[in-house]
């Protein structure tokens, strides 16, 4: 099995320093299952290609009591978990992010190409795109025909692929180290707690925000529930810390949304509107996703139609404030039974979100990176699947009417995006049709002839079918 890594930034041979392998030499290492060799197929100032060749000894794999594999198989040729183990051995220093001779190079983002000769993928090349494109790679994959001379025999399950990106060697190796075993659904090594540590260590800085995070964790840990839970819980803890840090940084900032909205009490208009829509829809159980300090929860509590009210937020601090301002501790028993607060992230599928009539996402989506919205969509519309979902988000066009806001600025420092009316409509309609909902849009707040309303709302209703 063979993998090639190419750098084309001059002097391209810096790759040798980063990989700790001198381009002039052949480097060979003995492994439990064979041998690994690193050599360079080109080493010019313009282009430098390091090749890692792993020779698997098929006899070694079945010898004695070790019976790792069936005797005849494709393992010697196909890039798999064996390749990852070899990478860990020969590129260990680079994977750890070290480069003693040239520490200045470690953070250099270089134009890199990675070519993986043969990989077996029953699912085809689309999975490569799902895994590598969110990390900034251009992915090219080609199926290998069963037999070059007899194309009529059709395609095999084998592919070769190429990845191109401007990234650091350390990041690139970390991505491969985690994702090659994800692609190989038949990992040869034992999966235990040590693998959770490896996954978190090598996934640091990118796995938490990857839209396919759950799939990656599942496959890396061979779907072992206890280990998968442990890894997802650690990622969730990182998530919580990151959201809290971003929120508190934004609070310190000068043009926080709250100040912009105070004169118009837009927040009050919005929350009253959402509560009255839920009432009109006949909802009895509501989950407020990203409930913050619980202002919608308070309105819902005041209306006895709502029998079960749940607030969820990723921020522990926000939930503490909600519990305090709702005065949960001193609430009479019959009221206390109607409300529940829980910590959780909208980027994780969560069984506790099942079974509600309705869900609210009030001023939440714009706090998530655009690339992660796809995960939230599945968590809410595919898995939790309430009968109704109400989403509100700012209308960017209206920002022109905030005199304090510099042109092009967003309303809140933690907003990752703000949509105009057309963009929100497009998102709402696409999402509705993808998950079998219908969507209707409404302005929230005073409507300006040119710019529309400051905030916008979409009400999603599940078409026919049963709720989750
Ligand atoms: N809905 C509230 C709060 C909006 S602010 C209101 O209208 O007043 C956005 C909230 O989303 C914050 O409380 C933040 O902690 C929460 N949030 C951000 N990312 C989240 C995530 N991934 N999962 C759950 N909540 C999240």
């Amino acid at each position: 099995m063979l993998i090639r890594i190419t750098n084309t930034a001059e002097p391209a041979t810096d790759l040798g320093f980063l990989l700790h392998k001198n381009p002039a030499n052949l480097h060979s290492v003995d492994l439990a299952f064979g041998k690994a060799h690193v050599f360079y197929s080109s080493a010019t100032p313009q282009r430098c290609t390091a090749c890692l060749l792993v020779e698997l000894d098929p006899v070694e794999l079945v010898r004695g009591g070790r019976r790792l594999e069936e005797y005849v198989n494709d393992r010697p040729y196909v890039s798999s978990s064996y390749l990852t183990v070899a990478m860990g051995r020969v590129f260990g220093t680079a994977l750890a992010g070290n480069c003693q001779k040239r520490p200045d190079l470690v953070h250099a983002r270089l134009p890199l190409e990675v070519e993986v000769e043969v990989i077996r993928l029953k699912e085809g090349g689309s999975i490569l795109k799902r895994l590598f494109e969110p990390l900034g790679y251009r992915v090219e994959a080609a199926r290998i025909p069963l037999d070059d001379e007899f194309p009529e025999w059709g395609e095999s399950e084998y592919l070769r692929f190429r990845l191109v990106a401007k990234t650091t060697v350390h990041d690139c190796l970390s991505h491969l180290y985690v994702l090659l075993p994800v692609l190989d659904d038949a990992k040869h090594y034992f999966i235990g707690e040590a693998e959770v540590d490896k996954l978190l260590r090598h996934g640091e800085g990118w796995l938490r925000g990857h839209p396919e995070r759950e799939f990656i964790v599942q496959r890396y840990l061979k779907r072992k529930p206890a280990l998968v839970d442990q890894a997802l819980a650690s990622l969730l803890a990182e998530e919580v810390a990151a959201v809290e840090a971003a929120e508190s940084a934004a609070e310190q900032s000068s043009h926080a949304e709250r100040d912009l909205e105070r004169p118009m009490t837009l927040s009050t208009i919005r929350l009253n509107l959402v509560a009255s829509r839920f009432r009109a829809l006949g909802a009895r159980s509501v989950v407020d996703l990203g409930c913050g300090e619980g202002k919608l929860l308070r309105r819902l509590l005041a209306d006895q139609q709502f029998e079960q009210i749940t607030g969820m937020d990723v921020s522990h601090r926000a939930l503490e404030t909600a519990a305090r301002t709702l005065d949960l501790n001193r609430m009479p028993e019959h009221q206390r039974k109607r409300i529940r607060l829980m910590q959780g992230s909208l980027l994780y599928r969560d069984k506790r979100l099942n079974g509600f009539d309705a869900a609210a996402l009030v001023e939440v989506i714009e706090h998530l990176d655009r690339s992660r919205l796809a995960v939230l969509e599945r968590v809410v519309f595919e898995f939790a699947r309430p009968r109704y979902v109400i989403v509100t988000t700012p209308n960017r066009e209206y920002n022109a009417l905030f005199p304090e806001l510099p042109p092009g600025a967003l309303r809140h420092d933690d907003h990752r995006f703000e949509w105009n009316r057309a963009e929100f409509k497009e998102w709402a309609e696409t999402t509705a049709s993808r998950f079998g909902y219908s969507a209707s849009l409404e302005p929230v707040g005073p409507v300006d002839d040119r710019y529309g309303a400051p905030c916008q709302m979409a009400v999603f209703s599940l078409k026919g079918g049963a709720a989750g």
Side-chain angles (χ1 to χ4, degrees):
M1 57 186 93
L2 178 65
I3 182 168
R4 288 194 292 266
I5 303 177
T6 299
N7 172 30
T8 53
E10 288 193 40
T13 43
D14 276 352
L15 185 63
F17 289 110
L18 283 160
L19 294 177
H20 276 248
K21 297 285 175 281
N22 185 337
N25 302 333
L26 165 70
H27 311 262
S28 298
V29 179
D30 283 319
L31 304 166
F33 49 79
K35 259 180 182 307
H37 310 280
V38 178
F39 58 91
Y40 288 75
S41 60
S42 72
T44 68
Q46 292 74 35
R47 191 175 176 85
C48 180
T49 300
C51 308
L52 166 61
L53 176 75
V54 181
E55 281 183 294
L56 211 64
D57 179 352
V59 178
E60 191 61 32
L61 296 186
V62 293
R63 195 167 10 227
R66 297 183 46 209
R67 297 203 63 82
L68 289 171
E69 302 278 354
E70 297 299 321
Y71 198 82
V72 177
N73 60 41
D74 60 9
R75 301 306 257 173
Y77 314 104
V78 173
S79 299
S80 64
S81 53
Y82 290 104
L83 182 63
T84 322
V85 173
M87 277 178 61
R89 274 289 296 281
V90 299
F91 298 140
T93 316
L95 260 171
N98 297 328
C99 184
Q100 270 158 5
K101 283 194 192 143
R102 295 284 306 277
D104 56 304
L105 288 177
V106 172
H107 300 289
R109 286 159 50 81
L110 304 171
L112 298 179
E113 295 169 21
V114 176
E115 291 159 291
V116 175
E117 224 25 77
V118 186
I119 190 149
R120 186 172 63 184
L121 277 181
K122 289 210 180 73
E123 306 93 328
S126 62
I127 185 177
L128 290 168
K129 289 189 186 293
R130 278 166 45 206
L131 292 178
F132 286 100
E133 280 181 351
L135 298 169
Y137 292 90
R138 196 175 81 235
V139 179
E140 293 162 16
R143 277 209 190 253
I144 301 172
L146 269 180
D147 191 313
D148 280 335
E149 284 184 35
F150 299 99
E152 63 276 19
W153 288 7
E155 306 285 353
S156 65
E157 309 182 325
Y158 299 94
L159 290 99
R160 65 170 57 91
F161 69 93
R162 183 162 171 265
L163 307 170
V164 180
K166 194 161 184 194
T167 180
T168 67
V169 166
H170 168 251
D171 284 350
C172 179
L173 290 176
S174 306
H175 298 153
L176 293 168
Y177 189 87
V178 170
L179 297 179
L180 288 175
V182 166
L183 293 169
D184 174 17
D185 214 5
K187 280 166 282 299
H188 70 282
Y189 44 74
F190 175 73
I191 305 286
E193 283 198 18
E195 294 312 305
V196 176
D197 290 343
K198 269 189 213 156
L199 173 64
L200 295 173
R201 187 150 31 92
H202 296 292
E204 198 184 325
W206 62 272
L207 180 56
R208 180 168 63 80
H210 196 296
E212 293 292 342
R213 173 197 51 218
E214 192 158 333
F215 174 80
I216 295 170
V217 171
Q218 289 273 1
R219 285 271 287 249
Y220 190 92
L221 299 172
K222 269 194 164 171
R223 303 185 186 80
K224 292 196 167 175
L227 300 178
V228 169
D229 284 353
Q230 192 182 330
L232 289 175
S234 301
L235 291 173
L236 177 59
E238 277 180 36
E239 174 87 27
V240 171
V243 174
E244 291 194 338
E247 293 273 326
S248 55
E251 264 167 36
Q252 317 287 331
S253 88
S254 52
H255 51 261
E257 195 178 29
R258 213 165 295 152
D259 296 334
L260 290 172
E261 293 189 341
R262 187 173 296 137
M264 314 172 358
T265 61
L266 177 60
S267 160
T268 309
I269 298 174
R270 178 165 53 220
L271 295 166
N272 290 346
L273 183 66
V274 172
S276 74
R277 281 293 170 282
F278 281 142
R279 152 161 272 287
L281 292 166
R284 302 199 171 278
S285 57
V286 179
V287 59
D288 184 13
L289 303 168
C291 63
E293 295 165 5
K295 288 189 224 134
L296 179 62
L297 301 174
R298 185 161 13 167
R299 285 170 172 76
L300 298 175
L301 264 175
D303 183 338
Q304 295 299 324
Q305 170 175 318
F306 303 108
E307 294 161 8
Q308 275 304 320
I309 302 157
T310 297
M312 184 181 102
D313 204 287
V314 76
S315 160
H316 187 62
R317 242 188 21 190
L319 291 171
E320 276 182 350
T321 311
R324 205 171 46 243
T325 54
L326 293 169
D327 217 359
L328 283 195
N329 285 337
R330 286 190 293 168
M331 204 176 261
E333 181 62 15
H334 71 280
Q335 284 287 78
R336 183 69 190 84
K337 274 205 252 165
R338 292 171 57 218
I339 179 143
R340 192 173 155 216
L341 295 179
M342 63 193 201
Q343 188 175 27
S345 167
L346 284 159
L347 300 173
Y348 290 75
R349 184 178 170 172
D350 190 333
K351 287 205 188 73
R352 298 174 301 173
L353 302 181
N354 294 357
F356 286 93
D357 294 339
L361 282 161
V362 178
E363 307 296 282
V364 172
I365 58 172
E366 64 276 9
H367 289 263
L368 304 176
D369 286 333
R370 186 69 191 81
S371 64
R372 304 172 77 184
L373 213 50
V375 180
L376 172 139
E377 288 160 20
R378 294 193 65 197
V379 166
V380 174
F381 293 96
E382 181 178 336
F383 299 120
R385 213 164 174 71
R387 201 170 296 276
Y388 305 105
V389 181
I390 294 186
V391 179
T392 77
T393 194
N395 163 23
R396 193 182 67 219
E397 293 162 78
Y398 200 90
N399 290 357
L401 296 176
F402 291 124
E404 321 81 302
L405 208 58
L410 302 184
R411 280 181 216 181
H412 190 281
D413 274 6
D414 191 43
H415 285 181
R416 310 299 160 91
F417 62 87
E418 284 173 359
W419 277 331
N420 62 30
R421 284 169 288 175
E423 286 163 333
F424 184 51
K425 184 165 188 282
E426 160 75 19
W427 174 79
E429 287 173 356
T430 313
T431 305
S433 84
R434 177 164 335 130
F435 296 102
Y437 283 75
S438 60
S440 71
L441 286 113
E442 271 181 65
V444 181
V447 179
D448 178 83
D449 285 346
R450 261 177 82 192
Y451 301 111
C455 176
Q456 39 190 349
M457 173 167 90
V459 181
F460 296 83
S461 311
L462 189 62
K463 287 187 182 162

